[in-house]
Amino acid sequence: MLAERLQQARKSAGLSLRALAEQVDVSAMMISKYERGVSTPSSGVLLALAGALGVRVEYFFRTASVELERVEHRNRHVWKLPKSAEEKVLADVRDQLERWLALYEVIPAPWSVEFTLPRTLPAVIEQLDDIEAVANRVREHWDLGLNPIPDLIDTLEARGLKVFTTRYDDERFEGMSAMAGDHHVIVVGGNWSGDRQRFTVAHELGHLVLDERLTDGIDKEAAANRFAGAFLVPAEKVKEALGERRRSLEARELYILKHEFGLSMAGWSYRALDTGVISKATQRAFWSLFAKKGWKQKEPGEPFPSETPRLFEQTVYRALGEGFIGESKAAELLSISVHELAARRRMESVNGDAGQ
Ligand SMILES: [Zn+2]
């Protein structure tokens, strides 16, 4: 157990055998022996390893180990994330998920919500336009109405999805979705603007909802994008905001709507096209304005505020308050020191969000 966990923590910290060895003052060969279970570190070395890797000693002995079955990746560009960066992301996600599972072991069952999808979703989706109705059914199933979703991560967490932001924010990593046992997992880069994060999270939700239902002719990415747009702004709302039919769109208008719905200006132009409010030519004209002004890279004005998961940390404090766990267990779950936990409990240190 220790061997495997040590290797996981080292990879997650992005350290080579040699780099870790230098920090804890043993040979790289010795670290390799620990990782193969050939040798066991003394308690002093264990403490040093924990310190160097930014984990608590308990981490090495935690039993829960999860396997992530990847569903889909969303990278910033066409090329794939380098293997080493991907490993870091996966190790971080595994760590966050394991802490959730450890928390589940000590809290009452009713505190956790099971992720469900509406039973009435079509088994087969043959065209992109059908996805509008699917997104509406999911909204209905979760009592979301048609209005803007104020905090998407919070909303999905409350419906049983595990949503994580990752601190290893390689700039090419946007997000991914995965299954871990029965858990539906969505991961999003922590440093993106809120509109970008929300689109990624909704896109990944699209993969979870749609991938099994698409006929061969439909591109999975196009389908997930369509779902994301439709889930963030239902067609009815697009028409209410923009009108049934438009000859052109005003950038300022889309900027205001971006801040109302948490969907980028670019996203709005695609929603207008997908719902038939503007023609392909109008969308193209708008898009070339975007390119000319450099707005494809960075949209003008204030960015939409980014989001962060809060349910895990909140639940740890709930469990602490109700006496299901003590301070030491709470600190372990949050990956902070008991001292820091005590300060946070007294509201003297309010930084930190579940060990991010
Ligand atoms: Zn995708």
Side-chain angles (χ1 to χ4, degrees):
M1 176 177 20
L2 184 141
E4 202 179 304
R5 304 287 293 174
L6 174 61
Q7 189 176 43
Q8 218 174 72
R10 179 176 62 78
K11 287 192 171 163
S12 143
L15 293 176
S16 65
L17 286 170
R18 185 183 302 256
L20 178 59
E22 274 167 17
Q23 287 197 41
V24 298
D25 213 18
V26 298
S27 67
M29 177 75 86
M30 194 48 99
I31 302 277
S32 162
K33 282 185 176 173
Y34 299 154
E35 290 189 358
R36 283 177 290 135
V38 177
S39 187
T40 308
S42 68
S43 57
V45 173
L46 207 54
L47 264 175
L49 285 168
L53 295 169
V55 298
R56 290 163 57 84
V57 170
E58 292 92 328
Y59 174 91
F60 298 122
F61 301 100
R62 213 187 285 150
T63 44
S65 188
V66 294
E67 274 313 308
L68 285 170
E69 206 180 308
R70 190 169 64 213
V71 179
E72 278 298 329
H73 260 295
R74 179 170 150 84
N75 294 332
R76 185 172 179 185
H77 302 294
V78 187
W79 63 78
K80 290 257 184 273
L81 206 57
K83 195 85 196 128
S84 61
E86 180 177 312
E87 255 177 31
K88 277 191 208 174
V89 168
L90 291 177
D92 181 33
V93 172
R94 250 185 249 117
D95 174 54
Q96 296 191 55
L97 189 58
E98 279 169 8
R99 289 192 274 132
W100 252 120
L101 299 183
L103 181 59
Y104 277 142
E105 282 172 19
V106 292
I107 58 172
W111 289 17
S112 58
V113 179
E114 200 193 332
F115 172 78
T116 61
L117 286 171
R119 286 175 196 282
T120 52
L121 292 182
V124 178
I125 294 166
E126 285 172 345
Q127 46 187 346
L128 287 177
D129 284 342
D130 296 345
I131 293 171
E132 297 283 337
V134 172
N136 283 342
R137 285 291 298 119
V138 174
R139 265 187 171 254
E140 202 181 305
H141 181 65
W142 288 339
D143 290 324
L144 297 178
L146 293 174
N147 288 326
I149 301 170
D151 185 331
L152 184 63
I153 290 183
D154 185 55
T155 299
L156 296 186
E157 283 197 295
R159 281 150 186 90
L161 268 165
K162 294 281 165 288
V163 187
F164 302 118
T165 48
T166 180
R167 63 198 123 152
Y168 296 110
D169 213 13
D170 186 287
E171 68 157 14
R172 279 160 296 187
F173 177 77
E174 289 221 344
M176 62 169 271
S177 45
M179 291 294 300
D182 296 335
H183 298 279
H184 295 72
V185 178
I186 288 179
V187 188
V188 64
N191 293 340
W192 295 110
S193 66
D195 53 302
R196 190 143 191 171
Q197 283 184 324
R198 287 161 62 91
F199 195 85
T200 297
V201 168
H203 172 102
E204 297 300 339
L205 177 62
H207 280 305
L208 292 173
V209 173
L210 300 173
D211 277 6
E212 305 291 306
R213 304 170 197 274
L214 300 174
T215 54
D216 287 347
I218 303 189
D219 176 55
K220 280 185 179 178
E221 295 311 311
N225 282 339
R226 182 62 174 267
F227 180 90
F231 187 73
L232 291 168
V233 191
E236 201 180 318
K237 282 285 161 183
V238 175
K239 292 185 175 176
E240 192 182 301
L242 298 177
E244 290 283 330
R245 194 77 197 143
R246 292 284 296 272
R247 278 174 300 148
S248 72
L249 295 171
E250 279 289 319
R252 189 91 204 170
E253 176 187 17
L254 301 195
Y255 175 69
I256 293 165
L257 288 169
K258 164 178 168 170
H259 282 274
E260 195 181 335
F261 282 85
L263 174 68
S264 69
M265 294 165 68
W268 268 96
S269 77
Y270 279 109
R271 281 308 281 148
L273 175 66
D274 287 341
T275 54
V277 170
I278 57 172
S279 67
K280 183 83 198 156
T282 304
Q283 204 273 337
R284 226 179 276 134
F286 191 77
W287 205 225
S288 73
L289 168 81
F290 247 66
K292 205 171 79 192
K293 299 262 191 188
W295 294 347
K296 275 191 188 178
Q297 284 72 38
K298 191 178 181 297
E299 296 200 345
E302 285 294 309
F304 192 83
S306 46
E307 298 184 358
T308 187
R310 288 189 295 258
L311 189 61
F312 179 77
E313 189 180 12
Q314 181 204 322
T315 310
V316 169
Y317 285 105
R318 183 179 173 187
L320 183 62
E322 289 297 297
F324 288 102
I325 54 174
E327 283 204 331
S328 147
K329 182 73 182 175
E332 183 197 329
L333 288 167
L334 295 172
S335 280
I336 56 177
S337 67
V338 176
H339 181 75
E340 170 69 16
L341 179 87
R344 288 192 195 177
R345 268 190 113 175
R346 293 190 303 266
M347 293 303 291
E348 286 166 15
S349 166
V350 290
N351 63 332
D353 49 340
Q356 288 294 294

